[in-house]
Short mmCIF file of all heavy atoms in Angstrom, two decimals:
data_model
loop_
_atom_site.label_atom_id
_atom_site.label_comp_id
_atom_site.label_asym_id
_atom_site.label_seq_id
_atom_site.Cartn_x
_atom_site.Cartn_y
_atom_site.Cartn_z
N LYS A 349 96.66 127.21 157.11
CA LYS A 349 95.28 127.70 157.31
C LYS A 349 95.18 129.16 157.70
O LYS A 349 94.62 129.52 158.73
CB LYS A 349 94.59 126.86 158.39
CG LYS A 349 94.48 125.38 158.04
CD LYS A 349 93.65 124.69 159.11
CE LYS A 349 93.91 123.20 159.15
NZ LYS A 349 93.50 122.62 160.37
N PRO A 350 95.65 130.04 156.82
CA PRO A 350 95.51 131.47 157.10
C PRO A 350 94.07 131.91 156.99
O PRO A 350 93.22 131.19 156.52
CB PRO A 350 96.38 132.12 156.02
CG PRO A 350 96.36 131.12 154.90
CD PRO A 350 96.30 129.77 155.52
N LYS A 351 93.81 133.17 157.42
CA LYS A 351 92.47 133.66 157.53
C LYS A 351 91.99 134.31 156.19
O LYS A 351 90.89 134.90 156.17
CB LYS A 351 92.35 134.65 158.66
CG LYS A 351 93.18 135.92 158.46
CD LYS A 351 93.06 136.91 159.63
CE LYS A 351 94.08 136.69 160.66
NZ LYS A 351 94.33 137.85 161.53
N ALA A 352 92.71 134.17 155.14
CA ALA A 352 92.40 134.78 153.85
C ALA A 352 90.95 134.42 153.43
O ALA A 352 90.48 133.32 153.75
CB ALA A 352 93.35 134.33 152.76
N ARG A 353 90.29 135.38 152.78
CA ARG A 353 88.90 135.16 152.37
C ARG A 353 88.74 134.86 150.91
O ARG A 353 87.75 134.27 150.49
CB ARG A 353 88.10 136.41 152.66
CG ARG A 353 88.17 136.95 154.07
CD ARG A 353 87.19 136.17 154.97
NE ARG A 353 87.19 136.77 156.32
CZ ARG A 353 86.44 137.77 156.66
NH1 ARG A 353 85.61 138.37 155.80
NH2 ARG A 353 86.51 138.24 157.89
N PHE A 354 89.74 135.21 150.09
CA PHE A 354 89.59 135.04 148.62
C PHE A 354 90.89 134.46 148.05
O PHE A 354 92.00 134.72 148.60
CB PHE A 354 89.31 136.35 147.96
CG PHE A 354 88.20 137.15 148.62
CD1 PHE A 354 88.48 138.24 149.44
CD2 PHE A 354 86.89 136.75 148.47
CE1 PHE A 354 87.50 138.91 150.07
CE2 PHE A 354 85.86 137.47 149.09
CZ PHE A 354 86.17 138.53 149.91
N ALA A 355 90.73 133.73 146.97
CA ALA A 355 91.92 133.21 146.28
C ALA A 355 91.61 133.11 144.74
O ALA A 355 90.46 132.93 144.36
CB ALA A 355 92.30 131.85 146.81
N THR A 356 92.65 133.24 144.00
CA THR A 356 92.53 133.06 142.56
C THR A 356 93.87 132.72 141.93
O THR A 356 94.92 132.67 142.64
CB THR A 356 91.87 134.31 141.89
OG1 THR A 356 91.52 133.97 140.52
CG2 THR A 356 92.82 135.49 141.85
N VAL A 357 93.85 132.46 140.64
CA VAL A 357 95.09 132.05 139.94
C VAL A 357 95.22 132.86 138.68
O VAL A 357 94.21 133.11 137.99
CB VAL A 357 94.98 130.53 139.60
CG1 VAL A 357 96.28 130.06 138.92
CG2 VAL A 357 94.69 129.69 140.82
N ILE A 358 96.42 133.30 138.37
CA ILE A 358 96.68 133.86 137.04
C ILE A 358 97.94 133.17 136.48
O ILE A 358 98.75 132.65 137.24
CB ILE A 358 96.95 135.42 137.11
CG1 ILE A 358 98.13 135.77 137.94
CG2 ILE A 358 95.69 136.12 137.67
CD1 ILE A 358 98.42 137.30 137.99
N GLY A 359 98.01 133.16 135.14
CA GLY A 359 99.18 132.54 134.55
C GLY A 359 98.97 132.18 133.09
O GLY A 359 97.89 132.42 132.53
N SER A 360 100.01 131.65 132.53
CA SER A 360 100.03 131.34 131.12
C SER A 360 100.28 129.84 130.91
O SER A 360 101.01 129.20 131.68
CB SER A 360 101.20 132.13 130.48
OG SER A 360 101.50 131.64 129.19
N TYR A 361 99.57 129.30 129.87
CA TYR A 361 99.80 127.88 129.54
C TYR A 361 100.18 127.78 128.05
O TYR A 361 99.94 128.72 127.28
CB TYR A 361 98.57 127.04 129.87
CG TYR A 361 97.33 127.46 129.11
CD1 TYR A 361 97.02 126.89 127.89
CD2 TYR A 361 96.47 128.39 129.67
CE1 TYR A 361 95.87 127.26 127.23
CE2 TYR A 361 95.31 128.78 128.99
CZ TYR A 361 95.02 128.23 127.78
OH TYR A 361 93.90 128.59 127.09
N GLY A 362 100.74 126.64 127.71
CA GLY A 362 101.16 126.46 126.31
C GLY A 362 100.05 125.91 125.47
O GLY A 362 99.72 126.44 124.42
N TRP A 363 99.45 124.81 125.89
CA TRP A 363 98.39 124.13 125.08
C TRP A 363 97.27 123.54 125.86
O TRP A 363 96.26 123.12 125.33
CB TRP A 363 99.04 123.09 124.18
CG TRP A 363 99.94 122.16 124.93
CD1 TRP A 363 99.57 120.98 125.53
CD2 TRP A 363 101.33 122.32 125.19
NE1 TRP A 363 100.62 120.42 126.14
CE2 TRP A 363 101.75 121.19 125.93
CE3 TRP A 363 102.27 123.29 124.82
CZ2 TRP A 363 103.07 121.04 126.41
CZ3 TRP A 363 103.58 123.15 125.26
CH2 TRP A 363 103.98 122.02 126.02
N GLY A 364 97.36 123.47 127.19
CA GLY A 364 96.25 122.90 127.96
C GLY A 364 96.70 122.52 129.38
O GLY A 364 97.71 123.07 129.86
N GLY A 365 95.98 121.62 129.97
CA GLY A 365 96.42 121.13 131.29
C GLY A 365 95.34 121.31 132.34
O GLY A 365 94.25 121.84 132.08
N ARG A 366 95.65 120.89 133.60
CA ARG A 366 94.71 120.87 134.69
C ARG A 366 95.22 121.77 135.85
O ARG A 366 94.94 121.51 137.03
CB ARG A 366 94.53 119.44 135.20
CG ARG A 366 93.83 118.53 134.18
CD ARG A 366 93.65 117.10 134.76
NE ARG A 366 92.94 117.18 136.04
CZ ARG A 366 93.53 116.80 137.20
NH1 ARG A 366 94.77 116.37 137.22
NH2 ARG A 366 92.85 116.85 138.35
N THR A 367 95.91 122.85 135.49
CA THR A 367 96.52 123.71 136.51
C THR A 367 95.50 124.17 137.58
O THR A 367 95.76 124.03 138.80
CB THR A 367 97.20 124.92 135.84
OG1 THR A 367 98.29 124.44 135.11
CG2 THR A 367 97.65 125.97 136.84
N LEU A 368 94.40 124.65 137.13
CA LEU A 368 93.41 125.24 138.07
C LEU A 368 92.83 124.19 138.99
O LEU A 368 92.78 124.37 140.22
CB LEU A 368 92.29 125.91 137.29
CG LEU A 368 91.25 126.66 138.16
CD1 LEU A 368 91.92 127.80 138.92
CD2 LEU A 368 90.13 127.16 137.31
N ASP A 369 92.46 123.07 138.43
CA ASP A 369 91.89 121.97 139.29
C ASP A 369 92.90 121.52 140.33
O ASP A 369 92.51 121.24 141.50
CB ASP A 369 91.50 120.77 138.41
CG ASP A 369 90.28 121.07 137.56
OD1 ASP A 369 89.58 122.08 137.88
OD2 ASP A 369 90.07 120.38 136.55
N ILE A 370 94.10 121.39 139.91
CA ILE A 370 95.13 120.90 140.86
C ILE A 370 95.33 121.93 142.00
O ILE A 370 95.43 121.56 143.16
CB ILE A 370 96.42 120.57 140.11
CG1 ILE A 370 96.21 119.42 139.16
CG2 ILE A 370 97.57 120.29 141.12
CD1 ILE A 370 97.37 119.15 138.20
N ILE A 371 95.41 123.19 141.65
CA ILE A 371 95.59 124.20 142.71
C ILE A 371 94.35 124.24 143.60
O ILE A 371 94.47 124.31 144.85
CB ILE A 371 95.86 125.60 142.05
CG1 ILE A 371 97.26 125.62 141.44
CG2 ILE A 371 95.71 126.72 143.12
CD1 ILE A 371 97.64 126.91 140.75
N LYS A 372 93.16 124.18 143.03
CA LYS A 372 91.95 124.21 143.84
C LYS A 372 91.93 123.06 144.85
O LYS A 372 91.63 123.24 146.01
CB LYS A 372 90.72 124.14 142.95
CG LYS A 372 90.20 125.49 142.58
CD LYS A 372 89.26 125.50 141.36
CE LYS A 372 87.94 124.90 141.48
NZ LYS A 372 87.14 125.10 140.24
N SER A 373 92.27 121.87 144.39
CA SER A 373 92.24 120.71 145.29
C SER A 373 93.34 120.85 146.36
O SER A 373 93.21 120.27 147.44
CB SER A 373 92.38 119.42 144.52
OG SER A 373 93.67 119.33 143.99
N ASN A 374 94.37 121.63 146.07
CA ASN A 374 95.44 121.82 147.04
C ASN A 374 95.13 122.88 148.09
O ASN A 374 95.93 123.08 149.00
CB ASN A 374 96.72 122.23 146.25
CG ASN A 374 97.94 121.40 146.70
OD1 ASN A 374 97.78 120.32 147.17
ND2 ASN A 374 99.07 121.99 146.49
N LEU A 375 94.03 123.57 147.91
CA LEU A 375 93.67 124.62 148.86
C LEU A 375 92.40 124.29 149.61
O LEU A 375 91.72 125.16 150.16
CB LEU A 375 93.49 125.96 148.13
CG LEU A 375 94.72 126.61 147.48
CD1 LEU A 375 94.37 127.86 146.72
CD2 LEU A 375 95.76 126.93 148.56
N ASN A 376 92.11 122.97 149.75
CA ASN A 376 90.81 122.60 150.28
C ASN A 376 90.60 122.87 151.74
O ASN A 376 89.52 122.82 152.27
CB ASN A 376 90.50 121.10 149.95
CG ASN A 376 91.58 120.20 150.54
OD1 ASN A 376 92.61 120.67 150.97
ND2 ASN A 376 91.31 118.91 150.61
N ASN A 377 91.70 123.16 152.47
CA ASN A 377 91.58 123.48 153.94
C ASN A 377 91.15 124.92 154.14
O ASN A 377 90.78 125.28 155.25
CB ASN A 377 92.93 123.36 154.62
CG ASN A 377 93.22 121.94 155.04
OD1 ASN A 377 92.31 121.14 155.17
ND2 ASN A 377 94.49 121.66 155.34
N LEU A 378 91.28 125.76 153.12
CA LEU A 378 91.05 127.18 153.30
C LEU A 378 89.58 127.54 153.08
O LEU A 378 88.94 127.01 152.17
CB LEU A 378 91.92 128.02 152.35
CG LEU A 378 93.44 127.74 152.36
CD1 LEU A 378 94.16 128.80 151.58
CD2 LEU A 378 93.95 127.71 153.81
N SER A 379 89.10 128.47 153.94
CA SER A 379 87.73 128.91 153.78
C SER A 379 87.72 130.15 152.87
O SER A 379 87.44 131.26 153.32
CB SER A 379 87.13 129.32 155.12
OG SER A 379 87.20 128.23 156.00
N VAL A 380 88.10 129.94 151.61
CA VAL A 380 88.21 131.08 150.68
C VAL A 380 87.17 130.93 149.57
O VAL A 380 86.80 129.84 149.19
CB VAL A 380 89.60 131.13 150.01
CG1 VAL A 380 90.65 131.61 151.02
CG2 VAL A 380 90.00 129.82 149.35
#
Side-chain angles (χ1 to χ4, degrees):
K349 299 187 201 159
K351 65 181 90 159
R353 304 279 185 86
F354 311 103
T356 191
V357 183
I358 63 177
S360 165
Y361 59 90
W363 49 89
R366 295 182 51 246
T367 292
L368 184 63
D369 289 343
I370 294 169
I371 289 178
K372 268 162 68 175
S373 68
N374 226 25
L375 292 176
N376 60 346
N377 274 342
L378 305 191
S379 302
V380 288

